[in-house]
Amino acid sequence: MTLDWYEHLKKDFVQGFPAFCGFEVARVDHGVFETRLEVGEKHRQQDGFVHAGVLATMADHTAGYASFTTVSEKFRILTVEFKINYFKPAVGPLIFCRSRVVNNGRTLKVTESEIFSVADGIEKLVSKGMFTQIAVAAESLNAPPSSPGGRAAD
Amino acid sequence: MTLDWYEHLKKDFVQGFPAFCGFEVARVDHGVFETRLEVGEKHRQQDGFVHAGVLATMADHTAGYASFTTVSEKFRILTVEFKINYFKPAVGPLIFCRSRVVNNGRTLKVTESEIFSVADGIEKLVSKGMFTQIAVAAESLNAPPSSPGGRAAD
Amino acid sequence: MTLDWYEHLKKDFVQGFPAFCGFEVARVDHGVFETRLEVGEKHRQQDGFVHAGVLATMADHTAGYASFTTVSEKFRILTVEFKINYFKPAVGPLIFCRSRVVNNGRTLKVTESEIFSVADGIEKLVSKGMFTQIAVAAESLNAPPSSPGGRAAD
Amino acid sequence: MTLDWYEHLKKDFVQGFPAFCGFEVARVDHGVFETRLEVGEKHRQQDGFVHAGVLATMADHTAGYASFTTVSEKFRILTVEFKINYFKPAVGPLIFCRSRVVNNGRTLKVTESEIFSVADGIEKLVSKGMFTQIAVAAESLNAPPSSPGGRAAD
């Protein structure tokens, strides 16, 4: 059952914007999600570093799925807010993200993501963020667009 | 001179990851940068909303260029950290971002970005973030990869 | 009725730690709270500036009461998280804080606080913060200590 | 030499607002600072919990001194910004704070603080924050008030 849920999340992770960015799932466990990215030209900013937005997206999405491992399919995880620090420029060629739920509240969850730039097999911690998420009833998000239902900070 | 710099920044804004995402420049002024995004399927997350990472990237990149308007071409702007709150799901079809420098320090700059989801001509504030950036000498970033020079939180 | 509530909040604001710190209420309106502090030696840090913790406490507490103006007495406001930036050292002799609800969700509220150091009648913006708060049923906090009930990120 | 510096920091920690609040030093090591607080009525907010501002102040001040252990007496540490999450209400009677430098840049330092509420010998993680600090030359802060010198985000 749990393994089925993890397998489902592995596939669910890769769609829409995260699929477009090229993030891949590396590992899943209870309250833990790990992902990777092979850096291409499209991920860079004006100075040649991986764009802060790529790292923020990876950190946010991986953190969201770390929280998904702690709920059933009756819930959806939405980001309430996050904060992220950039320590060093990330140049790749590989980026690794490890997310971990640090406070598993019933409704509000707090998750941390650490991002590593990997070159020649050496990991360097380049960024770290803290994320507040809300678990909402999946059915509240299935309402037709004209009646969006209760949402995040709504 | 200033107008040349603004014209340069308008072009400089659209490259790498932000170009890949499809962000466009709408307006530039001293300490102000405004951008827009036509939402496509690739920008969405698993529930059909614009992904938090798209909004974070747009808010970060626009904030960075708001700060670029306050320095000369001898400087580069790097993100030290940011925090962003999501108020309501953004569904589009148009997203608008307004960034404004709120504390224009010589080295450290603090900028705010407000993100609006626009439908039927009505703007709804869906997200707001605060960004700390550092202005570094452009030449310090031009060093060869083997000697990365001073950087962000380095 | 509303005015009674505002008068109640003005008194409720000044108790416990905020009273100990010496914060005073200046103005209350719907979604708005303003407070002041006469700076003494006890408010300073090791370099003679007003301590970051004084400003954070003032910003947080004032933000909380800005949100209190938007709910009835059946609710309590608790801080989920906040982020604050320090622009310039605050030296006083007067500190002024203006808080404003920027997204008045039913359960989650987002509020901003701006802090000004006032000298010779001139206000200088020295700090700004963004706060996420949760409105919880007052009765859920009245349970005896041995059964703390649902709480913030619980 | 290092031990002398640590002993100096232990004393330097307790002055001004932190002394007023009653924080005490528990342990010092390279990049690490730990402090404690015996909770009194003056530390509480309107619902009887330890005030978010007390925890933020403790987390900020302890984080600052964790960074002080990594520099010489020629530098001062100032808070650029921080973000803090509150997981559970802290009721005491003892509060413990552990701070650790997570990115020890030359100029910008990033530090984390974890806060525990301790009752009956059991520690509960109630709050966690991330802090960006700047190391500035001590002499730049000793200038007379009319020439404040370089500062935080100035």
Side-chain angles (χ1 to χ4, degrees), chain A residues 118-135:
Chain A
V118 189
D120 301 326
I122 297 174
E123 289 191 351
K124 208 188 307 191
L125 179 67
V126 294
S127 180
K128 183 163 186 178
M130 204 183 327
F131 301 75
T132 308
Q133 301 141 345
I134 191 165

Side-chain angles (χ1 to χ4, degrees), chain A residues 76-90:
Chain A
R76 305 301 292 159
I77 300 291
L78 296 175
T79 304
V80 172
E81 64 82 41
F82 70 85
K83 180 253 210 292
I84 186 164
N85 269 72
Y86 299 95
F87 302 151
K88 295 174 173 61

Side-chain angles (χ1 to χ4, degrees), chain D residues 13-36:
Chain D
F13 180 92
V14 188
Q15 60 179 302
F17 191 60
F20 179 66
C21 289
F23 304 136
E24 297 170 284
V25 179
R27 195 173 80 88
V28 184
D29 206 340
H30 185 75
V32 174
F33 219 87
E34 299 181 3
T35 58
R36 64 198 300 285

